[in-house]
Structures are given as C-alpha cells and as structure tokens.
Amino acid sequence: MDIRDVAKRARVSTATVSRTVNRVATVDAQLAKRVWKAIDELGYYPNRQARALVSGRSRVFGLIVSEITNPFFPEIVQTFETLAVEHNYEILLTSTIHDPKRMELAVRRMIEGRVDGVAILTFGMEDELLEHLRFRNLPLVFIDVGPKAPRVSNIRVDYAHGIRQAVQHLAAMRHERIGFVTGPLKLRSAVARRDAFEESMREIGLTVKPEFIVQGDHRLEGGKLAFQKLHQLREQPTALLCSNDMTAIGVMRQAFELSIAVPQQLSVVGFDDTRLADFMIPPLTTIQMSQTELARLAFDALYKEVKRETPSPVGTEYHLKTQLVLRRSTTFPPNTTPAKSRTIAKGTKQNDTSTAD
Amino acid sequence: MDIRDVAKRARVSTATVSRTVNRVATVDAQLAKRVWKAIDELGYYPNRQARALVSGRSRVFGLIVSEITNPFFPEIVQTFETLAVEHNYEILLTSTIHDPKRMELAVRRMIEGRVDGVAILTFGMEDELLEHLRFRNLPLVFIDVGPKAPRVSNIRVDYAHGIRQAVQHLAAMRHERIGFVTGPLKLRSAVARRDAFEESMREIGLTVKPEFIVQGDHRLEGGKLAFQKLHQLREQPTALLCSNDMTAIGVMRQAFELSIAVPQQLSVVGFDDTRLADFMIPPLTTIQMSQTELARLAFDALYKEVKRETPSPVGTEYHLKTQLVLRRSTTFPPNTTPAKSRTIAKGTKQNDTSTAD
DNA sequence: AATGACATGGTAAACGTTTACTGCCATTGG
DNA sequence: CCAATGGCAGTAAACGTTTACCATGTCATT
C-alpha cells in the first residue's frame, strides 16, 4: 500500500500523487480528485520515514524535560504537543531524570532521529551535551541558560517581578520575618529566584536572616526537610517563600505534621503556579510562570527558525513574565490585628476558585 | 556524514559498517575496531529514518493517553519511556484530550509514523478508530476494554479487590452511610468501579442509598460539585469513596470550603494512588492501581508481540491488582467513640509517609 | 501556419540504510 | 593434492517518497 498503488489506481504518476498529497498548486483539479478518491479507497497513508529521508526534514521536534512526573511539565508537554500536531509536527519526548547518562542518551536520540529542532526545558543541561547538539547547528531553544549562538533562541524568565510582588504582598500584611526555601543551587533558575528574593527584601527595607534561607531540592521531600529545620529555630519566620510549588507543598505538608496551621500560623507562597497549587488545602498562593505560555514560546521559536530561509545569526530572545497569584495560603502574621481587609499588591491576580470565603 | 563516509574511512564496505553497528557476530574483531574508530572520529550517528525504511521496523511504539495533564499519566509516560529507551525504542506520544478529532488524528499519526505497536491507555477509545488501528494488524495493547483479536493484548484491572478492601476498612470503623462519587459513566472503568462498590456494600450487608451515589467526571470540578450536592442532603454520608484521586481531591477541596473537616467529619477515599494522594493535607487514603506496573505491562505486551516470529492468534491477557493504601483521610465517623485503634483490613498497605502521628 | 510561452504531468535520481546474494580465501576431509 | 565446506566481506537491490528535469499539449501571437 504505497504511493505507487495509488498512482496506478488513479492512473497518474507517483509524482502527481505526491504533488496532490502535498497540495502543490500545479495539479489539475480533475486529476487531484481522482487521486484523493484512490487514496481514500485504498486507505493510503504516506510513510513519514520515506518522506523525511528524501526531503531532509523529519518534521519532528525534540523536547527535553527533566522529569515528566514533575507537575511543572505535563502542562508544557500537552501544549507543545497540541501546537506540534497543528503544524503537522511530531514530538520526540525525552526526560533526563537528572541523570547524566540519560542526558547523553537524549542527545543521541535527537540526532539519530534527525529532529528539526529541539527545545531544552531542563533548567540545567550539561554544557558538554549542549555542545554536541549545537555542533549540528540545529535550531535550539533554551530556557534561561542558553548561549548566544546562531539558531539558538532563549526564553528569559523575569523571576524578579513575581517575587517582588510576593514580598510586597507579605510586607503589606506586616510580615517581617520572611524566609525562603531555595531549589537545588546548581540550577541557575534556583539561584536567580533566591537572589530576586533577597533583592526584593532589601528594596523594601526588610533584612533577611541567613538562617531563614534554607536549601530545598524542588521536590516534596526538600520542602518537608526545610520546614523541619526552620521549625527548630528559636525565632521562626511567619512567612515562607518557596522556590517552587512542590517545595511549598512540602512545607505545608510538614507544617501539617507539626500541627501548624497554614495560613493562620504560617503564610506560604509557592512558585510556578502548577495546577497543584489550586488543588491544595488551603489553595496555595503562588507566583505564576505560565507553563502554556512557555511551551508556546518554545514551539514558536523552533518553528520560526525552521521556516527561515537563512539561519538567524544569533537566536531570538523571548521573555516570560511572572506574576503573583493570590489564593488562601497567606494571611496576616499571628498575633496581629488585621488592620484592614486583605491587602492586594497592584498588578496581582486574584485567582481563587473557591466558592465560599 | 553517512555510512559511506564511515566505510571509506575504515576502508571497508558499507555492509561491514552496518553489520558492526548492529553488532552482527560475523564481523572480524580487527575490522570492527577500525569501524568503531572511524565512527567515533567522524561523529557518525545512524539515520533512524533510513533504517526504518529499509528494515520495515521503525522501533517506535505509539502511546495514546487521554490527557498528560491528568496526574495519572505522567508516571506512566515516564516508565514507558524509560523502558523504551532501554530497548532502543522511541515513543510517539499522543493525547486525545477526549476530543474525537484528536483521536482520529492520533490514529493517523500512528499509521503515518509506521509505529511497531501501540498502547492505548485512554480508558475509552472510540471503537471505530480502534478498527482503523486493528486493520493494520499491529500489536496493540488495551487496558480493560480491548477486543479479543490477533496481536491485541489486554490488561485487565481487578478493580473489585481494592474497592472491597476500602469498603471493609470503612465498615470496620462503623461507617454505615457510605457514598460513592463516580467517574464519567461512558467509561467502562468508571462503571466497573461503581459496580464493584455496590457489590462490596451488598456483600458486607450495607445498603447503598441511591442518593449517595453521585456522578463526577474524574476531574477536580466534578468532585467539588458532587460534594456540594451531597452536602445538601438531609442525611449525609459519613464516608465517601471516589472513582479517582482527582475526584477525591475535589471532594476534600469542597469540604474545606464548607468548613467540614476531613477526616473528622468526613472520611474520604480516592482511587489510583497518584502521587497527588500523598501531597494532600491530610494525605489521602486511596486505592492503588500501580501506574508503573501498568506501564510496564503495556510495554512488555508490545515488546513481546514484536519479538514473536508468528503473531499471537489471540493476544495475551495481563492482570493488574488494586490495593487499599491507608493514609490519613479516613477515620471513625463523627459521634463515635473509637473502640480500639485504627482498624486495618488484612492485606492492606500502610503507606503513610508522615513523620509524626 | 509557424513559433514561442506556459501549464501541467511524467521520468528517474536521490535520500541512507539493510540484507540477500555472491565471491574469495582458508581450512579440512578423503 | 583436490574438492568441499565454511567463514567473512563486498556488491547491489530495495525500502517509499520528493523533486529536478524533461516532454507534451494548448494557446496566443505573428
């Protein structure tokens, strides 16, 4: 069941079938109709491999993420896939699971698959592997950390904005002892978030106690451990910013074990605004970094680069904003008389799906 | 940079290079060494498309899920991918998002990609599309619902076991008014779960009030709505089994809005044991249906079928057990003096990661 | 009527592999 | 010593498309 069968049945050449299928304008309407009819009757589906081989373009984009099981990524994968399908692309999905072997494998798979471009959304790709990929001068798109080079685009995330909003939000409610649970500090994004926090605190005239900054790992466990540590402090923070939602959930979870009520005794703010945030009890106030937008930018970057007749000399820079989303895990610090109703920093999103309040 | 360049550099024929790369035993060690050296020096990676085209096997398995953003699936995708990579397979991932168009597209993509087999993990594939797929007599694996046919395997899930455990667990704590929030009833799996619930209740001598069975949609919203409905009842259930974890979370979330304490005022049991269950506050008691095991079975089914020299006349049946996992969202009904410590049904897993209790 | 321009369809090469077949050489048995 | 056998490498066809190039036919212009 190949193009030749179709050609035979429609009494045309394979070239005409090919042109018809690819909607080349120069084919006569009558013939095209015959061809489509034959295709339909035979149930013909073109062979992607053969197409790729001869045309030199596979219509596949690679997508490298760190872990699909990290709630941050499914949304991205979904959006990316939807976009891909719309443009008749396939996606070659790979997760590195923070494993150097898997990273190497990932690169190998991309090359063997002759992908037309790859989006690297791992927040910390080994540089050497990056070299391998760049070597082929494929269109590439990174988040945050990419090098400036031909055909490689970058999505720069403005971590500071959302974090500043969060700090202001907390400060407006008279929190003074505000802590921060970081991510793994080998990730540039984790460092950036922590730095933005310290910066915002300074801006607003609050001091950050070194012991209020404790390291997590962007996973549940790290959040739990971090809070346990914090809990042993003589003087404890009344509010905690976390480097991502998982961390915040870990904190809340551990607070629960220690019978500390969130938000009455402890305000918690997450980062990412994964869907989980709105699943939590109480719903988590967090800083949104739109996963769908991120996926969209990444796809666009690749797609545009593929479409270019001449490679971009130095890839495009994209920007992604962050923004505080108020839910229910923050309130006034304990032993405080609420002066007025809940303070809302300007530009903040009210995104509480609760039906009662 | 193709096989011919390698051949030239190693001073052998392309056949020898091919044999070396594919580890065919008949190639002389000396030559092989030369070939590997050349491969290394040139940075040669075989072209998957060309391989697929000539060999007739793409080494790609299709994986169709309903939504990657459903917390049930990331774990599956991850495991499936890991297995695939280990066996030098790629995966063509597709989500149908409950959209008939997407389903059709999914099938088309599978065929155009000439996948070697496909795992359909959607819990409700349109039958017509199934025909399309079966028509090609590809290895197929379904969960629950597959037809008996050559090369198509099935994973039968024993919903009843876990559900019976849950009902017994609740009954042992003297719950009598036990309700059930179903999934979308067009899904066979949702019907099976509900039926198993009713059956278990009958077995144990408890009556199920019709108004205690309300329909959800396997998503958060459905759970919320269901509980809202239940809450308006004059006489309310003291415990709720839910058709999946998302539903249970919706219930908990709505209970929170209505200031009803889980588990003190309402015991909640989920189904699936997604990672979310252990993120919740309180951690959700749920029925485990191992996602990694499921993925493993699915992959194995495909892989074995591909390896067979002659197609299996009627696919293999696999079985997946379910099992209650006790956490913290269930306890004695309100206004009850706990007779003894928490009752644990036999064969039940204690899987509470809490550090304090 | 002859010529040129243009529209449209066909022919065949090419894409990068695998693999059936062939051929060479060395070894072994009679 | 010769024939048969077997191990191993090379030759070339094949996989299913796309597309450059060519051929043909039609129409308008002179």
Side-chain angles (χ1 to χ4, degrees):
Chain A
M1 186 74 49
D2 60 19
I3 202 174
R4 286 175 296 239
D5 298 313
V6 177
K8 204 168 298 171
R9 182 171 251 263
R11 300 189 313 279
V12 297
S13 70
T14 62
T16 302
V17 177
S18 175
R19 283 191 273 254
T20 306
V21 169
N22 292 300
R23 305 205 141 72
V24 173
T26 68
V27 31
D28 179 80
Q30 274 298 319
L31 278 198
K33 214 149 126 193
R34 279 218 317 265
V35 171
W36 284 119
K37 183 145 165 283
I39 286 175
D40 205 46
E41 288 167 350
L42 284 137
Y44 164 75
Y45 292 85
N47 181 319
R48 254 190 128 97
Q49 287 120 18
R51 283 176 160 203
L53 189 58
V54 56
S55 73
R57 314 209 300 118
S58 62
R59 298 199 79 90
V60 174
F61 282 145
L63 178 56
I64 306 185
V65 304
S66 27
E67 297 187 278
I68 313 170
T69 51
N70 176 334
F72 186 73
F73 291 110
E75 205 78 42
I76 291 185
V77 173
Q78 185 105 287
T79 307
F80 200 92
E81 191 220 325
T82 302
L83 256 16
V85 170
E86 277 171 13
H87 293 82
N88 192 21
Y89 265 76
E90 290 300 343
I91 125 175
L92 180 50
L93 180 65
T94 276
S95 46
T96 63
I97 325 191
H98 310 289
D99 175 358
K101 278 219 196 67
R102 285 289 290 254
M103 290 196 180
E104 197 172 323
L105 215 49
V107 173
R108 164 172 286 276
R109 287 166 65 194
M110 297 296 147
I111 300 179
E112 294 196 348
R114 299 294 191 270
V115 297
D116 290 342
V118 12
I120 294 134
L121 271 25
T122 67
F123 295 92
M125 183 74 172
E126 288 332 290
D127 293 325
E128 181 204 349
L129 301 178
L130 192 156
E131 265 327 300
H132 263 273
L133 231 34
R134 188 131 61 92
F135 178 53
R136 310 251 142 188
N137 92 327
L138 274 175
L140 253 38
V141 55
F142 287 88
I143 169 156
D144 262 4
V145 301
K148 281 207 193 299
R151 314 203 91 183
V152 355
S153 308
N154 250 287
I155 301 171
R156 306 282 174 196
V157 184
D158 180 10
Y159 298 110
H161 185 250
I163 289 179
R164 182 178 301 117
Q165 283 184 316
V167 170
Q168 283 170 355
H169 163 62
L170 259 13
M173 293 190 298
R174 313 261 169 68
H175 283 277
E176 287 175 355
R177 304 202 302 276
I178 306 177
F180 190 85
V181 183
T182 74
L185 292 176
K186 58 179 180 181
L187 296 192
R188 268 169 270 204
S189 68
V191 173
R193 291 171 198 197
R194 185 203 52 195
D195 292 351
F197 168 72
E198 294 183 349
E199 174 78 18
S200 301
M201 288 289 277
R202 226 172 293 124
E203 265 177 34
I204 215 167
L206 253 27
T207 57
V208 292
K209 307 209 179 189
E211 68 267 31
F212 280 5
I213 299 198
V214 4
Q215 185 164 353
D217 57 4
H218 276 178
R219 304 151 119 258
L220 190 79
E221 210 46 45
K224 285 185 176 181
L225 260 34
F227 185 68
Q228 198 147 24
K229 213 159 157 190
L230 249 9
H231 186 63
Q232 275 149 21
L233 257 35
R234 160 161 293 276
E235 193 190 40
Q236 292 172 27
T238 59
L240 238 31
L241 241 79
C242 301
S243 189
N244 76 346
D245 284 354
M246 282 309 298
T247 305
I249 292 171
V251 164
M252 284 170 71
R253 217 28 187 71
Q254 189 60 29
F256 169 73
E257 305 299 344
L258 298 168
S259 300
I260 292 179
V262 174
Q264 294 79 2
Q265 295 175 266
L266 176 75
S267 289
V268 178
V269 179
F271 196 110
D272 282 347
D273 193 25
T274 57
R275 302 174 70 223
L276 286 192
D278 198 38
F279 294 169
M280 293 309 292
I281 296 171
L284 181 66
T285 290
T286 186
I287 295 162
Q288 176 186 62
M289 163 170 168
S290 169
Q291 290 124 68
T292 51
E293 183 61 14
L294 184 59
R296 201 176 302 279
L297 289 176
F299 184 86
D300 273 13
L302 257 25
Y303 192 71
K304 289 219 181 93
E305 188 63 36
V306 164
K307 285 287 157 204
R308 286 179 66 106
E309 59 306 330
T310 119
S312 65
V314 51
T316 322
E317 298 266 311
Y318 296 83
H319 293 276
L320 185 64
K321 289 207 214 160
T322 62
Q323 189 184 17
L324 183 64
V325 179
L326 251 25
R327 293 207 181 83
R328 315 268 292 276
S329 62
T330 50
T331 187
F332 296 90
N335 309 319
T336 303
T337 8
K340 40 189 167 180
S341 69
R342 186 127 57 100
T343 312
I344 297 173
K346 64 177 188 300
T348 302
K349 224 161 156 182
Q350 268 287 14
N351 192 8
D352 192 331
T353 65
S354 313
T355 51
D357 191 345
Chain B
M1 185 74 47
D2 60 21
I3 202 174
R4 287 176 295 239
D5 298 314
V6 177
K8 204 168 299 172
R9 180 172 253 261
R11 299 187 317 276
V12 295
S13 70
T14 61
T16 301
V17 177
S18 176
R19 284 191 273 254
T20 305
V21 170
N22 292 300
R23 302 205 144 72
V24 173
T26 67
V27 33
D28 180 79
Q30 274 298 319
L31 278 198
K33 215 148 123 193
R34 279 220 315 265
V35 171
W36 284 119
K37 183 146 166 283
I39 286 175
D40 205 47
E41 289 166 349
L42 269 66
Y44 164 75
Y45 293 85
N47 181 320
R48 255 191 127 97
Q49 286 120 19
R51 283 177 158 202
L53 188 58
V54 58
S55 73
R57 313 210 298 119
S58 62
R59 298 198 78 90
V60 174
F61 282 145
L63 178 56
I64 307 187
V65 303
S66 27
E67 297 187 280
I68 312 170
T69 51
N70 177 333
F72 185 74
F73 291 110
E75 207 77 41
I76 291 187
V77 173
Q78 186 104 285
T79 307
F80 200 91
E81 192 220 327
T82 300
L83 254 18
V85 170
E86 277 169 13
H87 294 81
N88 193 23
Y89 266 76
E90 291 299 343
I91 125 175
L92 181 51
L93 180 66
T94 276
S95 46
T96 62
I97 325 191
H98 309 288
D99 175 358
K101 278 219 195 68
R102 284 288 290 255
M103 291 196 180
E104 197 171 325
L105 215 48
V107 174
R108 164 172 286 275
R109 286 166 64 193
M110 296 296 148
I111 300 178
E112 294 196 349
R114 299 294 191 271
V115 297
D116 290 343
V118 11
I120 295 135
L121 270 27
T122 66
F123 294 90
M125 183 75 172
E126 286 334 290
D127 292 324
E128 180 204 350
L129 301 178
L130 192 157
E131 264 327 299
H132 263 273
L133 232 33
R134 188 132 61 91
F135 178 52
R136 309 252 142 190
N137 93 328
L138 273 175
L140 254 37
V141 54
F142 287 88
I143 170 155
D144 264 2
V145 301
K148 281 210 193 297
R151 315 203 90 183
V152 356
S153 308
N154 251 285
I155 301 171
R156 305 282 176 198
V157 184
D158 180 10
Y159 299 108
H161 185 250
I163 288 178
R164 182 179 302 116
Q165 282 183 318
V167 169
Q168 283 171 355
H169 162 63
L170 259 13
M173 293 190 298
R174 315 259 167 71
H175 282 277
E176 290 175 356
R177 303 202 303 275
I178 306 177
F180 190 85
V181 183
T182 76
L185 292 176
K186 58 178 180 181
L187 296 192
R188 268 170 270 204
S189 68
V191 173
R193 291 172 198 198
R194 185 203 53 195
D195 292 351
F197 167 72
E198 294 183 347
E199 173 78 17
S200 300
M201 288 288 278
R202 227 172 291 126
E203 265 177 33
I204 214 166
L206 254 26
T207 57
V208 292
K209 309 210 178 192
E211 67 267 32
F212 280 3
I213 298 198
V214 4
Q215 185 164 352
D217 57 3
H218 276 177
R219 305 151 121 258
L220 190 78
E221 209 47 45
K224 284 185 177 181
L225 259 35
F227 184 68
Q228 198 147 25
K229 214 158 155 190
L230 250 7
H231 185 64
Q232 276 150 21
L233 256 36
R234 160 161 292 276
E235 192 189 41
Q236 292 172 27
T238 59
L240 238 32
L241 240 77
C242 301
S243 189
N244 76 347
D245 283 354
M246 282 310 298
T247 306
I249 292 171
V251 165
M252 285 171 71
R253 213 35 183 69
Q254 189 62 29
F256 169 73
E257 306 298 342
L258 299 168
S259 300
I260 290 179
V262 174
Q264 295 79 3
Q265 295 176 265
L266 177 75
S267 288
V268 178
V269 179
F271 196 111
D272 283 346
D273 193 26
T274 57
R275 303 176 69 222
L276 286 191
D278 198 38
F279 294 168
M280 293 310 291
I281 294 171
L284 180 67
T285 290
T286 186
I287 295 162
Q288 178 187 60
M289 164 172 170
S290 169
Q291 289 122 70
T292 51
E293 183 61 15
L294 183 59
R296 200 176 303 279
L297 289 176
F299 184 85
D300 273 13
L302 257 24
Y303 193 71
K304 289 220 181 90
E305 187 63 36
V306 164
K307 285 287 157 204
R308 288 177 66 106
E309 58 307 330
T310 120
S312 66
V314 51
T316 322
E317 298 264 311
Y318 296 83
H319 293 276
L320 186 64
K321 291 207 213 155
T322 63
Q323 188 184 16
L324 183 64
V325 178
L326 251 25
R327 293 208 182 85
R328 314 271 291 278
S329 63
T330 50
T331 187
F332 296 89
N335 308 320
T336 303
T337 8
K340 39 188 167 180
S341 69
R342 188 126 57 101
T343 312
I344 298 174
K346 62 177 189 300
T348 302
K349 224 161 155 182
Q350 268 286 16
N351 192 6
D352 192 330
T353 65
S354 312
T355 52
D357 192 346

